[in-house]
Every structure is written in C-alpha cells, then in structure tokens.
Amino acid sequence: MELGGLHHMTAVTTEASENVAFYTGVLGLRLVKKTVNQDDVSAYHLFYGDELGRPGTEITFFDWPQLRVAPNRPGAGEVSTTELRVAGREAVDWWAGRLEEHGIEHSGVAERGGRAYIEFTDPEGQRLRLRDEGEAPRVEGGVPWEESPVPAEYGVRGLGAVDLTVRELAPTAWVLSEVMGFRLVEQYEESGEKVALFEVGSGGAGAEVRVVEKPDAPYAHLGRGGVHHIAFRVADAEEQKEWRERLRGAGLGVTPQIDRYYFQSIYFREPGGVLFEIATDGPGFATDEDARHLGEKLSLPPFLEGRREEIEGRLTPITPVRGGVRR
Ligand code: ZN
C-alpha cells in the first residue's frame, strides 16, 4: 500500500472572477469544474487542472468573500508554498518573461537540486513556485489543455511539491515517514532554517514534500491567499479504507470516508497543524460533464441538484476577463 503522490491542493480565494482570470488566463490551467463547497453551498468551489483535471494536476479554491479583509497570516502549521511542475529550464525562463508581461513580481530564476524555479504570488498573495520537473520525471505529468493561452511545451503539468512550515520537524516527519510511507531524501539548512525533503511512491516531481522548521513562528491563521489543505493520492476507496485504519491505529483523528462525487476523501490533521487529505484517483471530473465542456456551467452533485435554483440564486456570477488579471 503506497500513496501515489500529491492529488490536489485546496486554497482560499475571495474574488472568484479574478481567481478564474489568473489561473486560466495567466497560468493557463483549465477550469475543469465549477461547483460549490459541499459543506457550505453559498461558496463556489473552483477546480483547475490539466485538460481533464487529472489527479495530481488539481488546484482548487473555496471562494470566501467574507475573508476579503482577512489576509492569510503566514506561520507554522500550513502549506507555505505550492510548487507546480513545468518541463525543463527553458520553461522556467519563459515563465519569467510571461509573469513580467502580466506585471507580476517574481523572485527571478534560481536553482535547487539542479532544477530551476521561480517564485511569485497570485493577486491575493497565494505563494506559488514553478519548477522544472527534471529529466525523466517518475510521476507522470498532466497534459495541458489545448485551448490554454500558454504554449503546450511551457504548460503547467501539475503539482510538483508542497512546502510545509512547522515549529518542530520531528512530529511531522514521524507522520510522513512512519505512518504515510514517505522516505526522507535529504536534510539541509537554508537561510538558517532546517529543511527536510521527503518523497513517496516513485518520488520526484509530483511526489515531494519539503518540511521547513521555524521554531519561533506564530501559528498560521487561514485567510485570503492561504492554503486550506493538501491531498495525497490513493488508487481507490478500498485502499483508502485501509489507510483510514492505519491512521487510526497511529492515534490520528481521521474523518469517515466522504463522497465528494468527483473523488472520495478522508481528512486528518498532522501534528504540525497542517490539514491533510487522502483522496481517490477516480471517478474524476468527466463523470457529470462532457470532457469538451468541463467547468462551463455550475455542476452540483446529485444530492444538491434538487436545490439548484436556491444555490444558483445566492452565487455571484463569475465574469472573468480573458487573458489577464482583472483590476
Ligand atoms: Zn480536498
């Protein structure tokens, strides 16, 4: 029983239209599903990914306008950067130019472990990194959507890694390695902080977690531009059930298996404070929409379909400006 790497990350936006403009128009992802948060149907839940939103390529957002005045307070117990994979150094260089064209400040191209990267934020402060996935990546990358404004050879191929910031490395390292089957790849100091790199399954881009130890950091407070949780891949509900037993056996509080319609989920908080999810690879986003028309209209799981009129009536229509950041 082995996790297949990263499944999706879910973050907070407070400006759905601007969010769609940035992630589709600038980053070139496909909006593969426009639905609502199943636990709070007044909020959009937007899913972006490759041409089909394959597991491992998904970035999702809860739209919570009430947090407009509450920017995320960074600190310990959160996903502090989300790394997206692109193919090759040339792609990273290309992105430096594209970000500049769109007036987005960035870190400049740097390198770690022989792989180039560039860091920047979305318009709400979401911390992102685009990084070369390396030669012969072992976790298969996604296929960029052919209608993306980004040329396919430079397109985002999915999640590469996440950085977790914690006060103390050991408890998080224990969950990753002893419970979840990650391997410690290396440990080093960077800017005076201890960093441990873990990988799972076949490893490399798509299956990496970097844990950054900041003993004096205040606890993060989730807000606009913050990450809500990170999800890891499991093949199916049977395996997920076994994972649930394993987590319980390790003394971790874990939710029952929840049917999210596009996949099934279990959630638990690792001891460093980050919310983890384990999600099934299927059934995916083409279950209720034709693959050619993903994300074009509001999708509701069958148990909410009867309330469509009420739910749609409370949502503010999304009016993205094509190809750019709305200001
Ligand atoms: Zn999730």
mmCIF file of all heavy atoms in Angstrom, residues 8 10 229 231 263 265 267 277, ligand 1:
data_model
loop_
_atom_site.group_PDB
_atom_site.id
_atom_site.type_symbol
_atom_site.label_atom_id
_atom_site.label_comp_id
_atom_site.label_asym_id
_atom_site.label_seq_id
_atom_site.Cartn_x
_atom_site.Cartn_y
_atom_site.Cartn_z
ATOM 1 N N HIS A 8 -4.313 16.941 -4.907
ATOM 2 C CA HIS A 8 -4.716 18.326 -5.163
ATOM 3 C C HIS A 8 -4.376 19.184 -3.970
ATOM 4 O O HIS A 8 -4.116 18.671 -2.894
ATOM 5 C CB HIS A 8 -6.221 18.433 -5.470
ATOM 6 C CG HIS A 8 -7.134 18.094 -4.313
ATOM 7 N ND1 HIS A 8 -7.599 16.819 -4.089
ATOM 8 C CD2 HIS A 8 -7.656 18.849 -3.317
ATOM 9 C CE1 HIS A 8 -8.386 16.817 -3.017
ATOM 10 N NE2 HIS A 8 -8.426 18.030 -2.516
ATOM 11 N N THR A 10 -6.006 22.651 -1.933
ATOM 12 C CA THR A 10 -7.191 23.494 -1.881
ATOM 13 C C THR A 10 -6.872 24.752 -1.087
ATOM 14 O O THR A 10 -6.310 24.672 0.008
ATOM 15 C CB THR A 10 -8.374 22.730 -1.267
ATOM 16 O OG1 THR A 10 -8.749 21.681 -2.171
ATOM 17 C CG2 THR A 10 -9.579 23.639 -1.060
ATOM 18 N N HIS A 229 -5.872 22.957 2.620
ATOM 19 C CA HIS A 229 -5.350 21.609 2.867
ATOM 20 C C HIS A 229 -4.618 21.087 1.634
ATOM 21 O O HIS A 229 -4.734 21.643 0.544
ATOM 22 C CB HIS A 229 -6.469 20.632 3.268
ATOM 23 C CG HIS A 229 -7.507 20.403 2.201
ATOM 24 N ND1 HIS A 229 -8.670 21.138 2.124
ATOM 25 C CD2 HIS A 229 -7.563 19.527 1.160
ATOM 26 C CE1 HIS A 229 -9.384 20.717 1.089
ATOM 27 N NE2 HIS A 229 -8.729 19.740 0.475
ATOM 28 N N ALA A 231 -3.904 17.360 -0.472
ATOM 29 C CA ALA A 231 -4.413 15.993 -0.588
ATOM 30 C C ALA A 231 -3.402 15.092 -1.300
ATOM 31 O O ALA A 231 -2.707 15.528 -2.220
ATOM 32 C CB ALA A 231 -5.742 15.993 -1.349
ATOM 33 N N PHE A 263 -14.336 12.498 -6.330
ATOM 34 C CA PHE A 263 -13.414 11.566 -5.675
ATOM 35 C C PHE A 263 -13.916 11.360 -4.251
ATOM 36 O O PHE A 263 -14.853 12.025 -3.825
ATOM 37 C CB PHE A 263 -11.967 12.101 -5.672
ATOM 38 C CG PHE A 263 -11.817 13.549 -5.325
ATOM 39 C CD1 PHE A 263 -11.856 13.985 -4.010
ATOM 40 C CD2 PHE A 263 -11.631 14.505 -6.331
ATOM 41 C CE1 PHE A 263 -11.709 15.330 -3.699
ATOM 42 C CE2 PHE A 263 -11.487 15.864 -6.030
ATOM 43 C CZ PHE A 263 -11.524 16.268 -4.708
ATOM 44 N N SER A 265 -12.872 11.140 -0.090
ATOM 45 C CA SER A 265 -11.870 11.803 0.735
ATOM 46 C C SER A 265 -11.913 11.353 2.186
ATOM 47 O O SER A 265 -12.978 11.052 2.719
ATOM 48 C CB SER A 265 -12.127 13.315 0.724
ATOM 49 O OG SER A 265 -12.110 13.801 -0.599
ATOM 50 N N TYR A 267 -9.888 12.977 5.833
ATOM 51 C CA TYR A 267 -9.099 14.131 6.289
ATOM 52 C C TYR A 267 -8.549 13.866 7.685
ATOM 53 O O TYR A 267 -9.217 13.246 8.517
ATOM 54 C CB TYR A 267 -9.975 15.389 6.376
ATOM 55 C CG TYR A 267 -10.670 15.759 5.091
ATOM 56 C CD1 TYR A 267 -11.903 15.182 4.760
ATOM 57 C CD2 TYR A 267 -10.119 16.690 4.209
ATOM 58 C CE1 TYR A 267 -12.554 15.523 3.581
ATOM 59 C CE2 TYR A 267 -10.767 17.038 3.036
ATOM 60 C CZ TYR A 267 -11.988 16.445 2.725
ATOM 61 O OH TYR A 267 -12.625 16.784 1.557
ATOM 62 N N GLU A 277 -5.383 15.441 3.452
ATOM 63 C CA GLU A 277 -6.493 14.658 2.915
ATOM 64 C C GLU A 277 -5.873 13.515 2.119
ATOM 65 O O GLU A 277 -4.784 13.663 1.550
ATOM 66 C CB GLU A 277 -7.326 15.554 1.983
ATOM 67 C CG GLU A 277 -8.403 14.819 1.182
ATOM 68 C CD GLU A 277 -9.187 15.751 0.246
ATOM 69 O OE1 GLU A 277 -9.034 16.991 0.356
ATOM 70 O OE2 GLU A 277 -9.914 15.232 -0.598
HETATM 71 ZN ZN ZN B 1 -9.516 18.444 -0.838
#
